């Protein structure tokens, strides 16, 4: 067992963090850490044992008892200091992130910056978490409505934003006065390790944040069932969301589920096509399409369909695909072999069912999980890609005629995360935004993720919100104290 040190370790080597101690593999099992651009093994991730998970729960439970009573200004200062430490180590964090996840270094740098900004944002927000005093209808009785931390939290994180996904959960928990056990993604452990190291170096008491990797189903079963754990948060697939929702319901734990989507983009005939392509193609091919908010289906009015597709193809053909850490690259590798296989299957399935391949449609090279940016048109509704989130660099385009038709198609699936609309008519935007079944709507933009705004879905894209005041409130309970001041 390694003792934690006072110095911030730049290396971000995979390790567990339980009760303030860094734990290396010793005689535990290990998972190979693969660089998706080269398929080289670049590290080994220790697998937490059931004992480690239980130790993390006990540590979080013990830490919560004192952490909940800290002044908001103390929590704020620690978050702010951790943000500063991350900024000082930003390049090392970005290199780790890009090497493990595959995204280009520019996107990795932006993500690290965003994580630091998010900690700053929570450092501010937690200082202004007010309750209220309400006059009751009984003489002499004052109603005090207070916000308290919900308790130790269990968090599960996907690999597509290895910094931002854990940071949204850790930042909110620490700010609210909760402790947290994070099961981060085994594919991309280094960035989560860096974040926890930054918090440790900033003076966060032992046990407030604990970090695990290992067998997801085994770890989640222990964590979600544990009576000490008072809240669950998952960013991941709808499939796993449903599993954890059932488990959480068994012990009445509140939860946030940030799950998958199948995000439509509606491009009306009066849209600025140059801008519509610039926004939606950038959002589509960022992180090789492995973004929960990425456009998944394009519905383009028949009058502008061909012009839109020509510009999309031009955009896709200009993207240099390669190893994310190298200069001059616009799109990196998919993060794992399973994604490469699924994207390949979805495109092949669409083409077999009659879709027209306008650009791309194949793996690039035979080493590294690279897939070409791809544009498909005339995609039939029966193609799997029109129902299953591609989570890859594929843009399926369909024509539409009327506003009602576009809205009906957009709302036809069981998902409701993000939707996008491009038009120069304020009326059309208002009407469409009101009708879309989604947690987020982008009008003439695909940038809907902001620290200041609530992020989350409807329908099978989940429930609960992250970021914004809703994201802090989710980690608090509302307690009423009825105080008889006359007695
Ligand atoms: P996933 O559901 O397979 O994994 C997410 C997390 O759950 C990981 O920590 C994983 O180890 C864990 N997990 C996996 N199987 C589990 C099980 N049986 N029991 C308990 N935990 C388990 O998701 P993924 O494939 O890693 O991520 C991709 C999905 O995440 C996409 O659908 C994407 O849209 C979604 N996502 C959503 C948001 C959002 O904010 N709504 C953000 C990013 C990604």
């Amino acid at each position: 067992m390694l003792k934690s040190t006072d110095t911030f370790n730049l290396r971000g080597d995979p390790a567990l963090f339980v009760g303030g101690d860094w734990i290396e593999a010793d005689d535990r099992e290990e998972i190979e850490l693969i660089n998706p651009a080269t398929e080289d093994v670049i590290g080994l991730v220790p697998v937490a044992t059931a004992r480690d998970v239980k130790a993390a729960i006990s540590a979080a439970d013990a830490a919560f008892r004192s952490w909940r009573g800290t002044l908001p200004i103390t929590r704020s200062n620690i978050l702010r200091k951790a943000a500063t430490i991350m900024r000082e180590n930003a390049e090392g964090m970005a290199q780790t992130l890009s090497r493990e996840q595959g995204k280009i270094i520019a996107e990795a740098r932006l993500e690290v910056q965003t994580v630091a900004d998010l900690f700053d944002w929570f450092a501010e927000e937690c200082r202004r978490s007010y309750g209220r005093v309400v006059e009751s209808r009984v003489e002499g009785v004052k109603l005090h409505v207070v916000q308290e931390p919900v308790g130790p939290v269990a968090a599960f994180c996907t690999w597509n934003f290895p910094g931002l996904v854990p940071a949204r959960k850790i930042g909110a928990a620490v700010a609210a006065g909760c402790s947290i056990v994070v099961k981060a993604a085994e594919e991309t452990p280094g960035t989560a390790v860096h974040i926890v190291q930054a918090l440790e170096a900033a003076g966060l008491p032992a046990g407030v944040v604990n970090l695990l990797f290992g067998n997801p189903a085994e770890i989640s079963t222990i964590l979600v069932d544990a009576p000490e754990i008072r809240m669950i948060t998952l960013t991941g697939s709808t499939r796993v969301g449903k599993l954890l929702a059932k488990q959480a319901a068994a012990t009445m734990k509140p939860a946030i589920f940030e799950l998958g989507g199948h995000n439509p983009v509606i491009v009306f005939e009066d849209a600025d096509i140059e801008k519509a392509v610039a926004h939606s193609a950038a959002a589509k091919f960022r992180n090789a399409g492995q973004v929960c908010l990425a456009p998944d289906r394009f519905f383009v009015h028949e009058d502008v369909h061909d012009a839109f597709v020509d510009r999309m193809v031009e955009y896709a053909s200009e993207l240099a695909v390669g190893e994310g850490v190298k200069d001059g690259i616009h799109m990196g590798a998919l993060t794992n072999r399973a994604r490469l296989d699924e994207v390949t299957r979805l495109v092949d399935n669409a083409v077999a069912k009659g879709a027209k391949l306008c650009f791309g449609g194949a793996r690039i090279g035979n080493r590294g999980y690279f897939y070409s940016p791809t544009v498909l048109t005339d995609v039939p509704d029966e193609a799997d890609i029109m129902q299953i989130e591609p989570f890859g660099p594929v843009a399926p385009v369909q024509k539409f005629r009327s506003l009602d038709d576009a809205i009906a198609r957009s709302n036809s699936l069981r998902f409701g995360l993000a939707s996008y609309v491009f038009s120069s008519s304020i009326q059309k935007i208002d009407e469409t935004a009101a009708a879309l079944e989604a947690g987020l709507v982008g009008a003439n933009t695909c940038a809907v993720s902001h620290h200041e705004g609530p992020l989350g879905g409807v329908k099978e894209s989940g429930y609960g919100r992250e970021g914004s005041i809703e994201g802090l409130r989710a980690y608090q309970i509302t307690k009423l104290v009825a105080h008889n001041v006359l007695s």
Side-chain angles (χ1 to χ4, degrees):
M1 196 174 271
L2 296 181
K3 220 30 212 157
S4 59
T5 64
D6 287 331
T7 49
F8 180 46
N9 176 5
L10 263 179
R11 293 176 306 153
D13 294 334
L16 313 175
F17 189 62
V18 176
D21 289 317
W22 288 102
I23 301 172
E24 291 193 335
D26 297 334
D27 52 0
R28 291 169 182 79
E29 276 179 55
E30 291 176 284
I31 300 168
E32 287 187 344
L33 178 58
I34 310 282
N35 177 337
T38 62
E39 298 184 45
D40 291 333
V41 177
I42 54 171
L44 294 169
V45 186
V47 170
T49 61
R51 242 176 105 190
D52 295 328
V53 182
K54 287 174 188 159
I57 294 169
S58 299
D61 187 40
F64 175 64
R65 289 166 207 276
S66 50
W67 183 245
R68 62 175 299 165
T70 51
L71 294 174
I73 189 75
T74 305
R75 307 200 291 261
S76 174
N77 288 341
I78 289 174
L79 283 168
R80 209 180 266 296
K81 191 165 172 198
T84 303
I85 291 168
M86 285 190 277
R87 287 196 184 94
E88 287 165 359
N89 291 276
E91 188 55 27
M93 286 179 70
Q95 293 285 339
T96 301
L97 200 163
S98 174
R99 203 172 49 245
E100 293 181 357
Q101 200 272 343
K103 69 179 61 173
I104 60 171
I105 190 72
E107 288 178 17
R109 288 182 183 129
L110 184 64
E111 184 171 343
V112 171
Q113 176 65 44
T114 307
V115 168
D117 290 350
L118 181 69
F119 273 27
D120 274 347
W121 191 85
F122 274 120
E124 286 302 319
E125 202 63 11
C126 75
R127 297 168 65 178
R128 302 192 177 83
S129 173
Y130 308 124
R132 63 191 200 275
V133 180
V134 182
E135 294 294 339
S136 84
R137 54 178 61 201
V138 178
E139 199 181 341
V141 174
K142 300 267 184 210
L143 304 179
H144 298 264
V145 183
V146 293
Q147 305 296 331
E148 293 183 353
V150 63
V153 176
F156 303 90
C157 307
T158 175
W159 41 262
N160 64 335
F161 285 91
L164 197 49
V165 169
R168 282 205 182 107
K169 302 172 190 315
I170 295 171
V174 168
C178 298
S179 56
I180 186 165
V181 181
V182 183
K183 209 295 285 166
E186 290 70 31
E187 293 91 335
T188 55
T191 314
V193 169
H194 278 305
I195 291 171
V196 174
Q197 287 172 337
L199 283 160
E200 184 191 18
L204 191 75
V208 176
V209 173
N210 304 273
L211 182 63
L212 300 173
F213 303 100
N215 181 314
E218 283 175 23
I219 292 178
S220 69
T221 301
I222 302 172
L223 283 176
V224 179
D225 285 350
E228 297 91 339
I229 298 292
R230 298 295 174 82
M231 175 183 162
I232 308 300
T233 167
L234 163 78
T235 298
S237 62
T238 295
R239 180 187 71 80
V240 173
K242 287 179 180 177
L243 286 174
L244 294 192
K246 270 191 201 151
Q247 281 177 269
T251 46
M252 297 305 292
K253 291 185 170 84
I256 300 177
F257 288 110
E258 299 285 0
L259 309 177
H262 205 294
N263 311 312
V265 179
I266 302 174
V267 182
F268 285 108
E269 65 278 21
D270 56 5
D272 179 329
I273 296 302
E274 282 298 316
K275 284 190 184 153
V277 172
H279 283 278
S280 56
K284 175 69 260 183
F285 298 118
R286 181 166 75 112
N287 197 7
Q290 301 167 115
V291 181
C292 59
L293 304 175
D296 294 309
R297 299 169 282 162
F298 291 80
F299 300 123
V300 184
H301 191 275
E302 58 185 4
D303 290 355
V304 291
H305 173 271
D306 293 356
F308 182 89
V309 170
D310 287 350
R311 278 295 296 124
M312 277 297 274
V313 168
E314 206 178 318
Y315 190 105
S317 66
E318 286 167 359
L319 293 176
V321 181
E323 192 172 347
V325 290
K326 290 189 175 154
D327 288 337
I329 298 297
H330 304 122
M331 195 179 91
L334 293 162
T335 304
N336 52 47
R337 178 89 216 185
R339 285 269 32 96
L340 178 65
D341 292 345
E342 176 65 354
V343 170
T344 305
R345 187 193 75 76
L346 287 170
V347 172
D348 293 352
N349 169 278
V351 171
K353 290 194 169 162
K356 186 174 151 210
L357 185 62
C358 298
F359 190 78
R363 182 180 183 185
I364 298 176
N366 54 13
R367 196 158 174 83
Y369 310 132
F370 298 104
Y371 196 88
S372 173
T374 297
V375 181
L376 297 167
T377 56
D378 303 309
V379 189
D381 286 339
E382 306 74 61
D384 287 355
I385 201 165
M386 295 308 286
Q387 285 111 49
I388 298 171
E389 181 186 28
F391 228 54
V394 186
V397 187
Q398 284 188 345
K399 283 180 194 160
F400 75 87
R401 267 199 196 134
S402 70
L403 183 144
D404 288 349
D405 178 27
I407 290 172
R409 284 201 236 173
S410 297
N411 290 342
S412 65
L413 300 186
R414 58 195 171 93
F415 301 106
L417 187 55
S419 294
Y420 305 101
V421 49
F422 288 88
S423 168
S424 55
S425 154
I426 292 176
Q427 235 172 351
K428 228 178 244 177
I429 283 180
D430 274 355
E431 193 177 338
T432 312
L436 286 168
E437 296 170 357
L440 305 145
V441 176
N444 289 330
T445 179
C446 289
V448 288
S449 172
H450 303 271
H451 298 333
E452 297 76 12
L455 186 132
V458 298
K459 296 160 85 176
E460 293 192 16
S461 292
Y463 45 80
R465 293 292 179 268
E466 290 196 318
S468 81
I469 185 63
E470 284 89 348
L472 183 64
R473 285 276 184 266
Y475 289 75
Q476 296 173 321
I477 55 159
T478 300
K479 181 185 275 180
L480 174 75
V481 180
H483 184 185
N484 181 354
V485 294
L486 296 180
S487 65

